[in-house]
Amino acid sequence: MEKTISGVMIECVRGDIASQTGITAVVNAANARLMMGGGVAGAIHRAAGPGLEEECRPLAPIEPGEAVITSGHNLPNQYVIHCLGPVYGVDKPEDELLANCYRNSLRLGEEHEIESIAFPAISTGAFGYPVQEAAEAAFRTIMEIVPNLKSIKRIRFVLQSGRDLEIHEKVLSMKS
Ligand code: AR6
């Protein structure tokens, strides 16, 4: 599913965040140490190779809501934007911290004049954020920012499961 708002195409697809060809930057649902982890952080680091951890080391630790940028190493993308999502029920206010992940990722993307960016559903795995609530916060934030974007023309959400894809498509379809 896709939707164009203020000249920016926003789309939801089912897939693997580590195999997004044709996308300038992919976003990592990182841990504070910016090291290999499970889920998204495992897939991204495995595909990128050990050079990614090396580049990340001096940038860590990061705080919930913060984002940093590195090159993509062996990924098919020029950049990886690493952000630390909130742990649901622990890092508060979680909706604001999650919104900061999207704000800071898009800001870094604009600073590096990227054309396209792909996000996973940050915080909805190991960090326990309910998918529907996370999708509401993500799209609400993106809709606020989209009119101000200059270089970013495409925002893709990459969901691992059919259920998560369906939830994101439903939430996106209600936004304008
Ligand atoms: N591609 C797209 N989505 C994925 C993939 C993938 N390859 N793998 C998992 N997902 P998570 P978090 C989905 O746990 O909740 C890590 O261990 C997954 O189904 O990766 O922010 C780090 O080291 C879920 O919906 O990120 C951190 O410690 C979503 O991506 C911690 O987990 C996010 O799941 C971060 O937790």
Side-chain angles (χ1 to χ4, degrees):
M1 169 198 183
E2 60 177 70
K3 197 167 192 168
T4 300
I5 295 172
S6 305
V8 179
M9 196 229 276
I10 304 171
E11 59 181 352
C12 297
V13 303
R14 189 173 176 185
D16 176 5
I17 193 72
S19 55
Q20 299 301 309
T21 50
I23 294 283
T24 323
V26 286
V27 176
N28 182 15
N31 48 65
R33 295 171 51 246
L34 300 175
M35 293 291 114
M36 163 91 74
V40 167
I44 284 186
H45 278 277
R46 266 193 307 278
L52 183 60
E53 279 198 343
E54 229 163 89
E55 190 183 351
C56 280
R57 200 161 290 125
L59 304 175
I62 61 168
E63 301 284 322
E66 204 182 332
V68 294
I69 190 165
T70 65
S71 62
H73 297 263
N74 298 332
L75 283 161
N77 318 98
Q78 196 177 346
Y79 298 108
V80 180
I81 295 173
H82 308 258
C83 49
L84 178 62
V87 177
Y88 193 73
V90 175
D91 298 316
K92 292 183 183 266
E94 47 249 305
D95 59 340
E96 202 41 42
L97 293 170
L98 188 61
N100 285 345
C101 288
Y102 290 94
R103 287 190 192 108
N104 287 324
S105 297
L106 293 169
R107 177 182 51 76
L108 282 174
E110 285 283 300
E111 283 171 14
H112 288 76
E113 298 184 337
I114 69 166
E115 190 265 339
S116 51
I117 184 167
F119 286 98
I122 299 165
S123 281
T124 65
F127 285 175
Y129 213 119
V131 175
Q132 169 94 25
E133 258 185 70
E136 296 277 359
F139 287 127
R140 189 169 57 237
T141 308
I142 285 171
M143 294 306 155
E144 283 167 15
I145 295 173
V146 151
N148 303 320
L149 295 176
K150 296 198 166 58
S151 68
I152 297 172
K153 297 287 176 224
R154 179 142 61 119
I155 300 174
R156 175 182 289 175
F157 273 75
V158 181
L159 293 317
Q160 196 176 41
S161 73
R163 177 181 166 270
D164 290 353
L165 175 63
E166 218 172 274
I167 291 170
H168 279 75
E169 286 182 337
K170 211 168 274 173
V171 174
L172 177 59
S173 73
M174 316 246 271
K175 302 281 176 198
S176 57

